[in-house]
């Protein structure tokens, strides 16, 4: 079973929730925030396996190309350009759809691989840990997320998702069976949470909320969720101790009160999503 | 002059600082929210709508069931597993059109899909340009490019302040390309530093002049020092530290930019940071 941890807004505590819950639930941890993967900082796994993520791009055979320009016309992503002397390829704009190859009557287009990122697998105590890493300068994270999740192991997996509600989050959610939405009691947090809720509802996923950086001043947000009949899985208090431990790259289960908070959330998750 | 505020890591305080800078330059700045996935800047500004238009960031394939003869060639050619038995999966389809090219029945068409509304509002503080994206849609890079073109039209010679998105991918690249300077807002955590390295790497590739500031600097003084040291090694201007300040949460929840809490420590620090950036860019200091 794959449980997605997501948020809409960045920096609300997805990684904190995912790594600490992975320890308690003894679940596999999978970092899908491939633009900024931070989970390994906390779980510190020994990396045992690493593989490249490659995508295809068109290579034009100049001897065969007659500059008809059909490939340029058909490319929806402006990745090909006819200079009059040759067809230029803008690799980073290419989505690897190979439509250009279909329309080329001269058979002048071949496809080659290029690396855009990598996937790592490691072990931290008894936890299996995975992460995708997008190379700096590469715009498209989706192929890295897809390759990472296509190889996800059986059993209970926690997917630490990218922020936002567009293609990156969508590609991770396609592999999810349930979702935990992490938010903070602020106007921004809830504005973006509502977008994330619409997204998981679009996928018909069962979901619940973790309220992070919680203080009683945020009670109106709790009331809102209660009124909307949205399941709250737990509250993580807003304390300086948590912020400091996080800043050092430590997990929080060593702090007894916080360990109890995460254990309660883990129990709720097991009950609500019927996983164990 | 265009300044893009970015962070790598999410939730470090980009919007708070971008809005503060815009307020310090009141009336002479166009604000552009390029965090199109989760736009928050507009929440601060009630204004008159000057422009609203819908935007298409790409196409989706549409199959005409009446003509489709279930030959399955579309499915074979699709690299995104987006078509199965003549049914197109909305989330998987990238609108490349490969299926339309192989369909012997010509039963598939590409149709532009609305992915966002672009909105320009005006109030006494100036213009704000932002977008409301359809949930789960694509093409945020294209959308950002359009937002920035619009901003240039409204700004003339004035400053454009761009609130960027977290990460280093397509929306961030679109927000940074050809901008005059980037202000990176980071936090003194292991994650903040790790993500700072990646965003600075991107800024270098794009040859963007880069400034770094640390928010909530006193959460971990040791990490803040490490970040300062890192900037020195990389030869990047370190422009200041903002202390952890509860007033920032109040400012967000009251939707009043931090500059209106004049005595707050965060406000004073941000003002200093902005003056340092202006100084480096050769702009005249704020009053």
């Amino acid at each position: 079973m794959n449980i997605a941890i997501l948020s809409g807004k960045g920096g609300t505590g997805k990684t904190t929730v995912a790594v600490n819950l992975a320890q308690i639930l003894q679940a596999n941890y999978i970092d899908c925030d491939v633009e900024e993967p931070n989970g390994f900082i906390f779980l510190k796994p020994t990396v045992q396996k690493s593989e490249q993520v490659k995508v295809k791009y068109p290579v034009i055979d100049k001897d065969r190309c007659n500059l008809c320009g059909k490939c340029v016309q058909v490319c929806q992503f402006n990745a090909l350009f006819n200079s009059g002397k040759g067809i230029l390829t803008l690799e980073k704009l290419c989505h690897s759809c190979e439509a250009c190859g279909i329309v080329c009557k001269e058979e002048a287009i071949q496809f080659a691989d290029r690396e855009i990122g990598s996937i790592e697998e490691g072990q931290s105590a008894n936890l299996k840990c995975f992460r995708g890493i997008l190379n700096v300068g590469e715009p498209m994270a989706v192929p890295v997320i897809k390759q990472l999740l296509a190889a996800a192991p059986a059993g209970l997996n926690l997917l630490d998702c990218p922020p936002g509600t567009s293609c990156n989050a969508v590609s991770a959610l396609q592999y999810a069976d349930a979702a935990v939405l992490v938010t903070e009691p602020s106007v921004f947090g809830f504005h973006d949470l509502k977008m994330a809720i619409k997204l998981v509802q679009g996928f018909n996923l069962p979901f619940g909320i973790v309220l992070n950086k919680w203080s009683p001043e945020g009670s109106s947000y709790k009331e809102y969720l209660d009124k909307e009949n949205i399941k709250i899985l737990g509250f993580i208090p807003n304390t300086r101790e948590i912020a400091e431990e996080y800043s050092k790259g430590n997990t929080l289960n060593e702090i007894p009160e916080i360990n109890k908070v995460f254990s309660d959330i883990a129990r709720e998750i097991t009950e609500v999503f019927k996983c164990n | 002059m265009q300044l893009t505020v970015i962070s790598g890591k999410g939730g470090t305080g980009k919007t708070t600082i971008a809005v503060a800078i815009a307020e310090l330059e009141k009336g002479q700045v166009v604000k552009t929210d390029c965090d199109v996935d989760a736009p928050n800047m507009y929440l601060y500004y009630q204004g008159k709508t000057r422009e609203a238009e819908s935007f298409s960031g790409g196409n989706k394939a549409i199959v005409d069931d009446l003509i489709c003869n279930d030959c399955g060639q579309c499915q074979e050619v699709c690299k995104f597993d987006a078509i199965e038995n003549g049914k197109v999966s909305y989330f998987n389809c990238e609108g490349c059109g490969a299926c339309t090219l192989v369909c012997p029945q010509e039963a598939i068409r590409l149709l532009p899909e609305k992915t966002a509304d672009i909105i320009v509002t005006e109030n006494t503080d100036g213009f704000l340009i932002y977008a409301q994206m359809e949930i789960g849609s694509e093409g945020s890079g294209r959308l950002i490019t359009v937002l920035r073109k619009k901003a240039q039209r409204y700004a003339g010679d004035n400053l454009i302040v761009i609130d960027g998105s977290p990460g280093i991918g397509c929306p961030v690249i679109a927000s940074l390309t050809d901008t005059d300077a980037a202000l990176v807002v980071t936090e003194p955590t292991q994650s903040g530093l790790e993500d700072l390295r990646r965003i600075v790497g991107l800024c270098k590739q794009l040859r963007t002049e880069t400034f770094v500031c640390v928010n909530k600097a006193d959460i971990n003084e040791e990490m803040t020092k490490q970040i300062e040291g890192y900037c020195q090694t990389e030869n990047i201007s370190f422009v200041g530290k903002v202390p952890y300040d509860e007033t920032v949460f109040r400012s967000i929840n009251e939707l009043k930019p931090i500059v209106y809490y004049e005595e707050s420590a965060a406000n004073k620090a941000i003002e200093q940071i902005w003056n340092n950036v202006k100084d480096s860019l050769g702009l005249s200091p704020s009053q």
Side-chain angles (χ1 to χ4, degrees):
Chain A
M1 181 183 202
N2 292 338
I3 300 179
I5 318 284
L6 77 162
S7 69
K9 181 174 173 352
T12 58
K14 285 180 294 297
T15 300
T16 301
V17 168
V19 296
N20 287 288
L21 283 181
Q23 286 182 333
I24 291 172
L25 290 164
Q26 289 294 297
N28 306 311
Y29 169 81
I30 306 183
D31 199 341
C32 311
D33 187 2
V34 304
E35 291 186 31
E36 305 288 12
N38 289 330
F40 278 24
I41 291 173
F42 301 90
L43 292 172
K44 304 173 180 71
T46 326
V47 173
Q48 294 152 330
K49 235 167 81 184
S50 173
E51 68 183 51
Q52 293 180 324
V53 176
K54 291 177 183 166
V55 293
K56 300 252 184 242
Y57 71 99
V59 179
I60 317 285
D61 182 341
K62 285 203 178 90
D63 296 335
R64 285 175 176 250
C65 174
N66 64 0
L67 293 175
C68 73
K70 284 197 176 113
C71 54
V72 178
Q73 270 169 24
V74 85
C75 178
Q76 298 293 322
F77 310 107
N78 306 314
L80 292 167
F81 176 74
N82 190 345
S83 75
K85 287 182 187 156
I87 304 291
L88 305 177
T89 310
L90 303 161
E91 291 164 13
K92 287 184 181 173
L93 295 181
C94 175
H95 283 226
S96 314
C97 69
E98 301 187 19
C100 51
I102 298 171
V103 293
C104 181
K105 296 289 172 252
E106 307 301 318
E107 295 185 8
I109 301 181
Q110 300 283 319
F111 293 92
D113 285 330
R114 66 185 195 94
E115 190 203 315
I116 62 159
S118 58
I119 286 167
E120 290 180 349
E121 182 181 342
Q123 188 85 24
S124 161
N126 356 339
L127 300 185
K128 274 205 179 108
C129 305
F130 303 80
R131 69 169 171 177
I133 308 167
L134 180 69
N135 288 351
V136 174
E138 287 297 336
M140 272 174 258
V142 170
V144 182
I145 299 170
K146 279 189 177 166
Q147 189 169 324
L148 172 70
L149 289 175
L156 184 59
N157 297 318
L158 297 187
L159 317 185
D160 191 354
C161 290
T165 50
S166 64
C167 31
N168 289 358
V170 165
S171 64
L173 273 183
Q174 285 182 322
Y175 293 86
D177 303 300
V180 173
L181 309 189
V182 185
T183 188
E184 58 187 35
S186 76
V187 174
F188 290 177
F190 263 66
H191 174 269
D192 300 348
L193 173 70
K194 285 175 193 167
M195 299 174 74
I197 290 175
K198 275 195 197 148
L199 183 63
V200 292
Q201 284 173 337
F203 278 93
N204 277 318
L205 294 175
F207 68 97
I209 311 283
V210 170
L211 279 150
N212 190 16
K213 306 181 195 173
W214 176 254
S215 73
E217 281 133 59
S219 62
S220 62
Y221 295 107
K222 180 186 174 298
E223 283 157 24
Y224 166 82
L225 294 173
D226 288 341
K227 210 180 81 209
E228 294 286 312
N229 241 330
I230 293 169
K231 175 76 189 167
I232 298 175
L233 300 164
F235 302 86
I236 303 167
N238 186 23
T239 72
R240 187 149 182 131
E241 190 184 12
I242 292 180
E244 282 171 9
E245 287 305 310
Y246 174 89
S247 77
K248 294 176 201 156
N250 294 336
T251 54
L252 303 171
N253 284 315
E254 292 75 21
I255 310 170
E257 328 63 290
I258 304 303
N259 174 260
K260 184 177 178 305
V261 168
F262 280 112
S263 302
D264 291 346
I265 294 172
R267 191 165 351 97
E268 285 284 333
I269 286 176
T270 316
E271 269 169 37
V272 174
F273 301 145
K274 311 222 169 0
C275 58
N276 45 44
Chain B
M1 170 73 68
Q2 298 187 43
L3 173 80
T4 302
V5 183
I6 39 167
S7 65
K9 183 175 176 344
T12 59
K14 279 182 298 299
T15 304
T16 292
I17 290 180
V19 165
I21 290 172
E23 288 299 314
L24 290 168
E25 296 298 315
K26 215 174 183 135
Q28 309 198 25
V29 59
V30 170
K31 300 172 284 285
T32 311
D33 195 341
C34 290
D35 187 1
V36 292
D37 261 35
N40 290 150
M41 229 177 183
Y42 79 96
L43 296 170
Y44 283 107
Y45 297 99
Q46 302 289 324
K48 253 206 324 255
T49 304
R50 280 287 297 263
E51 261 191 70
E53 62 187 62
S54 69
F55 172 80
S56 163
N59 301 315
K60 294 279 174 197
I62 309 285
V63 181
D64 187 334
D65 296 338
L66 296 174
I67 314 178
C68 170
N69 65 357
D70 295 321
C71 73
Q73 288 187 49
C74 50
Q75 192 168 328
E76 241 167 76
V77 85
C78 178
K79 299 289 175 196
F80 310 106
D81 302 322
I83 193 159
E84 212 179 316
N85 302 324
K87 293 269 173 295
V88 178
S89 146
Y90 173 86
F91 284 124
N92 278 342
C93 177
E94 299 202 9
C96 70
C99 52
T100 65
L101 302 172
V102 298
C103 179
Q105 299 292 105
E106 297 187 7
I108 314 178
R109 283 179 308 154
L110 278 187
L111 283 182
E113 181 218 12
K114 182 191 163 190
T115 54
D117 285 304
I118 295 176
I119 301 147
V120 180
T121 61
E122 183 184 14
N123 68 7
T124 48
D125 291 345
F127 293 102
L128 166 68
I129 295 160
Y130 69 102
Q132 298 273 23
M133 247 180 130
E134 302 284 325
I135 308 278
S137 65
E138 291 186 43
S140 51
R142 289 183 190 184
L143 174 59
I144 287 166
T145 307
V146 171
L147 292 180
R148 288 185 55 197
K149 280 211 180 109
K150 226 175 239 304
Q152 275 170 311
R153 232 181 47 221
Y154 278 91
D157 291 331
N158 284 339
L159 175 71
I160 298 171
V161 174
I162 295 168
D163 191 6
S165 57
I168 55 161
C170 154
V172 177
I173 292 172
S175 304
L176 276 176
T177 303
D178 295 327
T179 190
D180 295 285
L183 174 60
V184 185
V185 182
T186 189
E187 60 178 35
T189 64
Q190 294 280 353
S191 308
L193 176 56
E194 187 62 32
D195 297 351
L196 175 67
R197 287 182 208 277
R198 288 166 66 78
I199 192 77
V200 164
L202 180 64
C203 289
K204 287 201 162 166
Q205 281 186 20
L206 297 171
R207 298 200 176 85
T208 308
E209 179 159 12
T210 307
F211 301 96
V212 173
C213 66
V214 177
N215 194 9
K216 304 174 203 167
D218 47 340
I219 289 281
N220 187 331
E221 305 272 7
E222 188 45 47
M223 279 303 305
T224 299
K225 266 192 211 130
Q226 262 191 55
I227 290 169
E228 274 183 83
Y230 165 76
C231 291
Q232 218 164 26
T233 324
E234 292 290 320
N235 215 354
I236 296 163
S237 315
F238 184 85
V239 285
K241 302 180 246 189
V242 183
Y244 181 87
D245 182 351
E246 294 282 346
T247 319
V248 174
F249 299 105
R250 244 178 72 208
S251 143
I252 290 171
N253 284 328
E254 292 171 2
L255 291 176
K256 230 164 79 184
I258 189 74
V259 297
Y260 296 106
Y261 304 81
E262 276 177 41
E263 290 311 308
S264 76
N267 173 47
K268 288 180 180 162
I270 293 170
E271 206 176 327
Q272 185 58 52
I273 286 168
W274 177 228
N275 276 328
N276 291 344
V277 172
K278 283 181 85 174
D279 197 33
S280 292
L281 293 173
L283 302 170
S284 55
S286 320
Q287 286 83 45

